[in-house]
Every structure is written in C-alpha cells, then in structure tokens.
Amino acid sequence: MTGAMDELEARARAQLGHLADFGDRLAALSVRESSSDGLVTAEVDGSGALTGLWLEEGASDLGEVRLGEQIVATALLGAQRAFAARAALTEEFTAVFAEQLESR
C-alpha cells in the first residue's frame, strides 16, 4: 500500500510542479512590438495590457491623431503576439498534463 501511495504522491507533486511552472511562464510573458517606421515601441504582458511605451525622436512629427493611431495599432499587434504565445503555452501545458494523467 505504501508503494501505491508514494506513486500517487509523486504524480501529484509532478502535476503541481507543472502547474506552478505554467503559472510562472504565463506571469513572465511579455512581448515588445515596434511600428514599421520604428517610431513607436509598445510592450504588453500576457493578458495584452500595455506595460511599456517608447517613442523615438520624430514621433511627435506624426501629429497627435496619427501618433495615437500608431500607438494603438502597435500595442494591438503586441497583444496579438502575446495571445498567440499564451495559446502556445496553454497547448503545451494541456498536452503535458494529459500525458501525466494517462501515465497512471
């Protein structure tokens, strides 16, 4: 009976470790995207929230409307990349977790 319990505990620890690693990787997810002209760089986290914004010299020459549009468009591209990375991490987690469950 002890061997079966040890095996169950080891599997549970492995699954919890994998879940913790997944959470850490999601929390650390960050993407930087730059506009095609390089004047705007946006950084977003794994949930698509803007966490950083850099404007190069000459960005103000675009005018307030165009600059605003470029900031939003650049941040949106970054968010799309972040969501793609998040989806890839989730698929990887799901596959490994399913393998752990099947190995019982």
Side-chain angles (χ1 to χ4, degrees):
M1 181 91 168
T2 303
M5 287 301 292
D6 289 344
E7 184 181 326
L8 177 63
E9 183 180 356
R11 259 196 336 263
R13 285 185 193 277
Q15 290 169 344
L16 286 172
H18 186 63
L19 182 60
D21 180 55
F22 175 63
D24 291 344
R25 291 174 71 189
L26 283 179
L29 186 59
S30 181
V31 172
R32 279 193 186 188
E33 183 71 38
S34 293
S35 59
S36 59
D37 59 11
L39 294 176
V40 175
T41 300
E43 182 177 73
V44 299
D45 65 14
S47 62
L50 185 65
T51 58
L53 180 64
W54 296 268
L55 303 175
E56 294 297 323
E57 192 172 317
S60 61
D61 295 342
L62 295 172
E64 60 190 35
V65 172
R66 179 72 183 115
L67 178 58
E69 292 171 347
Q70 194 155 336
I71 289 170
V72 170
T74 304
L76 179 60
L77 286 173
Q80 289 171 339
R81 284 186 48 220
F83 293 150
R86 185 181 180 108
L89 286 174
T90 302
E91 286 179 22
E92 177 187 329
F93 168 78
T94 302
V96 170
F97 201 77
E99 286 175 14
Q100 288 177 335
L101 290 176
E102 291 172 2
S103 68
R104 300 175 10 161

